[in-house]
Amino acid sequence: MNLFSLVRRDPDASKKLFETILDTPNGKRALSRLARTCRAVAEPALNVLWRELDSLVPIIGLFPNPILKKARRPGLGLSKTPVEADWRNILKYSEKVRRISYDEASNNIAASIFPILDECRPRTHILPRLHELTWKAETPAGLDRCALFLSPEIRVLNLEIGSKFPQLSHFLSDMSARTKLTSFSFVSPTPLPDNFTDLLAQQDLLENINLVAPGALSPGVGRWVASLPKLKSLQLDLSGRSIIAVEGFFDELRPRSGDSTPSDVDSESGVFSDDELDFSEIRKSALRLTGDLPSKGSFAQLRKLQLTGDVSNIAVFLRHIMSPLSQLDLVIEDPPDNADWQDLCAIMCERFSESLQSLRVSATGSSRFADLVRSTARAEPAGGRLSLEHLTSLPFLTRLEIDLPESTVFLDADIENLSKACPNLESLRLCPLARFSQNNQPKLSLDSLAHLVVNCGHLHTIAIVLSAKQGNAEVLASRAHSSRSLLRLSLGHSWISDPLQASIFLSHIAPYLETLKWFQEKNRPGFVETNAKGWQSVAETLPHLQNIRIAERKAASRMDTIRPRMANKGIDATVRTLSRGVLATPKMYNASIQFSPTLIDQFVEAIPSVVSAAIDATPSVRNACIEALALTVEQGVEAKPHMVSMSIDATPATTSQAVETSPPPPPLTAAPTSGKREFSRRNPALLFLLSILKIISYPLTIPSRILRLILSKKPKPDGSKRIPTNDTNEKTETIVMDTLQVRQ
């Protein structure tokens, strides 16, 4: 439950936890089991587990087992071409990969896999979020496979290739066009292409460069490296090169940076310059070797420098570097020449005293191979001397590591001088793997630790080989030789004679020491069982003595607080007076300046510019014709009245009566056809309106006729019947009422 809440509340803490698990022995297996145990930690654990891969085998193993030749050995290849569904797991986990390595010499990946990946991949980049790629190829075909993983997200590319690569220029051009790197490493016995700087001209964001190849010290490469605006780390190999070759690295850099101007070196120039030899270049080379010709404007952002080779070549190279280096890693041929080492120490203390924070000195591969051969033959170690008394002032140095197989002898004077030259040291490692024989024991003693404790108040880690003899009594009696910051002490193959005395001394100078290590492996060269048992005894008794020391000092501090010490002091307040005179004689200089004004005759011809312009004001005329034709519409309306036949039975119950009705109106007679057409042509709208009115009014005549018939049947008040009259204006028609049928 605590782990679940930690993952949910603080992803950074869970990430640190999983990274710590990954660094432990069998860390990958433990982290894999943890990811399969709980869903809450599965995703962050898988992110850490898949973040860095040392091979392509885990990626190939994500294919389904049926298409692999052998499920337990995915590197042997695929038995058939994968389809889109087979890429599902690869697309899922490839998003988590940030760093990956490939080594062709290991032969754990079949070459037949790469064409299948290239042809059947479902997307352009198999590892779209890949940040760092390390590729080691022995053949040109192995180098060509690297293009499959060059995605735009790559920022770090480490190349280690063999010899005879004819397509190297093509590969570098393609790589430079597809990526934007911040770190580039190239290690190869193959010489760099002649157009190497042109191929990498687009890589202007480089911060870290490592070039170990023939041609890396050419003037063109030096000019290109010095021109990079964001370069912070540089690693070069100076092994097997002459001083002139090292000097040539800066030949083309200086004329473009303004470093070698005529005023830099005093040289005569005048009428007789053609008759005399020009020694300016010789003088510049001499000044560069002595360090009197400073470099300006080059390597402005350079902070970390790693050089490999002879001490003399490294010293010549450092004379040209004026940047404030903070970290310096030197891989030297061991043992170095004493004069060259002294010269190198002087340059470091002079140039980088105000900026250098970390200094590492290690041996080249050839020197370590010689030491390995000697240890296999069970020969006595060389035990050369590397003096630290040449270090004068490195006040900001916090980390010093010297790991050499030959120069392993250090004296108490070296430690005393080192503690004064580097007062802010926090970590010190002086050949912790050195081994000594019975006839040649270590020269350092426990008193050397006392010098470091007094002068280096921030020192927390020490790794040296010493001989733990009885300590100085003055050191045990002084509270100033006790360090509160010293927490870790590694003694390697150190010698010891009396474990109890060593425990007492260590409990005094390091009462808060947490870790005490020494070599306990019996199969390690230089192992002495007596010394291992002695340090084991010290490790068992030291914690108890430390508790006693701390308890005593706490009690002493309380006593000092309760009863302060009283002392009577007298001060001589006599004022000292001094008489001092200063002779101030002004220096007079006569200077004359010849001033001749420069006269210039100048004429200005002022002619106004005249421009003639003509305007054509002819009006534009256009002819337009309009055809006006009267619109004639011929329209006819057929008006037929709607005839309704009705029967009314008006027969009285006892009598039959005749009713005179008026005849129906005569039928409408149409006007002559010719007159109607003429009228419709003249007034078509009026004719149409009259037709509509006639159609509407005609049905109204039918009810009037019926009403007239009814009124004729009504008796008069005097009982007489109505007698129809024959008016001249009204036509009547006699209708027999018996013939009328009335519906009941």
Side-chain angles (χ1 to χ4, degrees):
M1 186 64 183
N2 293 334
L3 181 61
F4 175 73
S5 60
L6 177 64
V7 172
R8 292 188 59 185
R9 295 179 182 178
D10 195 348
D12 294 335
S14 61
K15 181 181 178 181
K16 294 294 183 182
L17 174 62
F18 297 147
E19 290 176 351
T20 304
I21 296 175
L22 188 63
D23 294 336
T24 58
N26 296 325
K28 289 186 177 181
R29 181 176 299 178
L31 197 59
S32 177
R33 292 174 178 174
L34 182 61
R36 295 193 298 266
T37 301
C38 180
R39 291 184 180 180
V41 300
E43 190 65 20
L46 288 175
N47 291 337
V48 176
L49 188 62
W50 282 87
R51 184 181 57 186
E52 182 176 357
L53 301 179
D54 56 0
S55 175
L56 294 174
V57 175
I59 298 294
I60 306 300
L62 293 176
F63 281 111
N65 293 338
I67 70 172
L68 294 174
K69 291 183 177 180
K70 285 190 177 181
R72 295 189 177 183
R73 297 185 63 185
L76 295 179
L78 305 178
S79 59
K80 62 179 181 179
T81 304
V83 296
E84 185 177 357
D86 299 334
W87 290 86
R88 182 177 56 185
N89 290 334
I90 293 181
L91 298 180
K92 176 182 177 181
Y93 287 96
S94 61
E95 300 283 344
K96 305 178 185 297
V97 180
R98 297 294 183 271
R99 293 187 291 272
I100 197 169
S101 301
Y102 171 76
D103 189 0
E104 187 181 7
S106 62
N107 199 22
N108 58 355
I109 297 292
S112 60
I113 295 179
F114 294 96
I116 297 177
L117 296 179
D118 190 14
E119 296 174 1
C120 304
R121 52 183 171 174
R123 59 189 179 192
T124 305
H125 305 290
I126 300 177
L127 304 176
R129 296 188 179 181
L130 188 64
H131 180 78
E132 180 177 351
L133 176 62
T134 301
W135 201 266
K136 301 179 181 179
E138 299 293 335
T139 60
L143 181 60
D144 292 338
R145 298 166 192 156
C146 181
L148 185 62
F149 300 94
L150 291 178
S151 64
E153 295 294 330
I154 289 182
R155 294 295 178 265
V156 181
L157 178 61
N158 302 318
L159 286 179
E160 293 187 20
I161 62 176
S163 57
K164 298 181 180 180
F165 282 77
Q167 82 282 22
L168 181 58
S169 299
H170 176 72
F171 173 80
L172 292 178
S173 177
D174 180 59
M175 178 272 298
S176 181
R178 296 169 58 182
T179 60
K180 207 67 175 178
L181 302 177
T182 59
S183 178
F184 177 66
S185 175
F186 184 83
V187 179
S188 174
T190 302
L192 294 177
D194 296 336
N195 57 343
F196 177 76
T197 57
D198 297 333
L199 296 175
L200 298 182
Q202 300 179 6
Q203 303 294 336
D204 53 353
L205 299 180
L206 284 173
E207 299 179 1
N208 183 13
I209 292 181
N210 177 20
L211 297 178
V212 182
L217 295 180
S218 63
V221 175
R223 182 182 70 252
W224 172 69
V225 171
S227 64
L228 293 175
K230 297 184 178 182
L231 184 65
K232 297 180 181 179
S233 176
L234 177 62
Q235 181 177 352
L236 294 174
D237 188 5
L238 312 179
S239 301
R241 308 304 299 272
S242 63
I243 295 179
I244 297 177
V246 177
E247 187 74 24
F249 184 78
F250 302 91
D251 283 348
E252 294 187 10
L253 179 149
R254 295 182 179 279
R256 289 169 173 77
S257 61
D259 295 338
S260 78
T261 58
S263 60
D264 290 338
V265 182
D266 295 335
S267 59
E268 297 180 359
S269 61
V271 181
F272 304 101
S273 59
D274 295 336
D275 300 336
E276 299 179 357
L277 294 176
D278 186 8
F279 292 98
S280 60
E281 294 297 330
I282 301 176
R283 292 172 184 171
K284 290 179 183 178
S285 299
L287 290 176
R288 292 170 187 167
L289 291 175
T290 57
D292 296 330
L293 186 63
S295 176
K296 305 174 184 177
S298 303
F299 306 101
Q301 300 295 328
L302 188 62
R303 296 296 179 267
K304 179 181 178 181
L305 181 62
Q306 180 175 348
L307 301 175
T308 303
D310 295 332
V311 175
S312 58
N313 290 343
I314 294 176
V316 171
F317 193 94
L318 289 180
R319 288 191 182 98
H320 297 273
I321 303 298
M322 300 301 296
S323 305
L325 297 179
S326 60
Q327 183 174 349
L328 184 60
D329 296 344
L330 306 178
V331 184
I332 64 175
E333 296 289 345
D334 189 38
D337 184 73
N338 190 24
D340 294 338
W341 171 253
Q342 183 177 356
D343 189 16
L344 179 61
C345 292
I347 293 175
M348 290 189 298
C349 295
E350 178 184 356
R351 297 288 178 87
F352 316 117
S353 61
E354 300 298 328
S355 61
L356 192 61
Q357 300 177 6
S358 176
L359 175 61
R360 295 180 58 187
V361 182
S362 57
T364 59
S366 58
S367 300
R368 294 191 180 279
F369 180 76
D371 179 69
L372 179 62
V373 172
R374 183 173 57 252
S375 62
T376 306
R378 300 184 182 279
E380 293 291 334
R385 170 122 168 83
L386 187 70
S387 177
L388 298 181
E389 297 180 5
H390 303 309
L391 297 176
T392 56
S393 177
L394 293 173
F396 295 95
L397 190 67
T398 60
R399 186 183 184 91
L400 175 61
E401 296 184 9
I402 299 178
D403 186 10
L404 300 174
E406 299 282 348
S407 305
T408 57
V409 177
F410 297 97
L411 304 179
D412 289 342
D414 296 331
I415 301 301
E416 184 176 359
N417 180 74
L418 179 64
S419 63
K420 296 178 181 179
C422 310
N424 290 318
L425 268 180
E426 297 179 2
S427 177
L428 176 64
R429 300 176 64 89
L430 297 179
C431 299
L433 303 179
R435 59 188 186 277
F436 297 88
S437 61
Q438 185 68 30
N439 300 327
N440 186 21
Q441 296 185 5
K443 306 299 181 182
L444 296 178
S445 62
L446 291 174
D447 295 337
S448 304
L449 299 178
H451 293 299
L452 291 173
V453 166
V454 171
N455 297 323
C456 303
H458 304 285
L459 190 63
H460 55 76
T461 303
I462 299 177
I464 58 176
V465 180
L466 50 81
S467 179
K469 299 178 182 179
Q470 185 174 2
N472 192 352
E474 296 180 357
V475 174
L476 294 174
S478 175
R479 289 281 298 273
H481 293 83
S482 180
S483 174
R484 191 179 182 86
S485 62
L486 186 58
L487 302 177
R488 290 171 289 275
L489 181 62
S490 179
L491 299 175
H493 290 299
S494 296
W495 290 71
I496 186 172
S497 56
D498 190 348
L500 181 59
Q501 293 293 333
S503 300
I504 295 173
F505 191 88
L506 290 177
S507 66
H508 174 70
I509 64 174
Y512 297 95
L513 188 67
E514 296 178 355
T515 305
L516 178 63
K517 294 183 178 180
W518 68 96
F519 290 148
Q520 307 180 40
E521 298 83 357
K522 294 183 179 181
N523 57 351
R524 180 183 289 273
F527 174 78
V528 179
E529 187 176 1
T530 304
N531 296 331
K533 290 183 178 180
W535 290 115
Q536 180 65 36
S537 178
V538 171
E540 294 174 355
T541 58
L542 182 61
H544 306 287
L545 295 177
Q546 286 177 329
N547 293 334
I548 295 175
R549 292 283 186 186
I550 295 174
E552 289 176 348
R553 291 176 182 179
K554 288 182 179 179
S557 62
R558 289 196 209 96
M559 295 297 294
D560 294 339
T561 304
I562 296 174
R563 293 181 298 176
R565 296 181 181 179
M566 305 297 294
N568 295 325
K569 292 184 178 180
I571 300 174
D572 185 7
T574 304
V575 180
R576 295 181 180 180
T577 58
L578 297 176
S579 299
R580 178 179 297 178
V582 179
L583 178 61
T585 303
K587 295 182 179 180
M588 307 296 294
Y589 292 95
N590 294 326
S592 59
I593 300 174
Q594 182 179 359
F595 175 78
S596 298
T598 302
L599 302 177
I600 299 175
D601 295 335
Q602 187 173 0
F603 299 92
V604 179
E605 183 178 0
I607 299 175
S609 58
V610 179
V611 180
S612 299
I615 299 174
D616 186 6
T618 303
S620 59
V621 179
R622 293 184 181 180
N623 296 326
C625 298
I626 299 174
E627 184 179 359
L629 298 178
L631 181 61
T632 303
V633 179
E634 182 176 353
Q635 186 174 5
V637 179
E638 183 179 359
K640 293 182 179 181
H642 182 68
M643 305 300 292
V644 179
S645 60
M646 298 180 62
S647 58
I648 300 173
D649 188 5
T651 305
T654 56
T655 60
S656 62
Q657 190 176 3
V659 180
E660 182 182 358
T661 59
S662 61
L668 295 176
T669 57
T673 306
S674 59
K676 184 178 182 180
R677 286 184 181 178
E678 185 65 25
F679 184 78
S680 63
R681 289 178 182 176
R682 294 180 181 179
N683 296 309
L686 181 60
L687 180 60
F688 178 75
L689 182 60
L690 292 176
S691 301
I692 295 299
L693 292 176
K694 194 173 184 179
I695 293 171
I696 295 174
S697 61
Y698 179 74
L700 298 178
T701 60
I702 298 174
S704 63
R705 295 171 57 191
I706 298 173
L707 182 60
R708 212 177 311 164
L709 291 175
I710 296 172
L711 292 177
S712 62
K713 292 175 62 177
K714 185 176 180 184
K716 293 183 178 181
D718 54 354
S720 60
K721 298 181 180 180
R722 180 180 179 183
I723 300 173
T725 59
N726 295 328
D727 296 334
T728 57
N729 295 332
E730 182 179 0
K731 295 180 181 182
T732 59
E733 182 179 357
T734 303
I735 300 175
V736 182
M737 300 301 293
D738 297 335
T739 61
L740 295 177
Q741 296 179 2
V742 180
R743 294 181 182 180
Q744 293 181 356

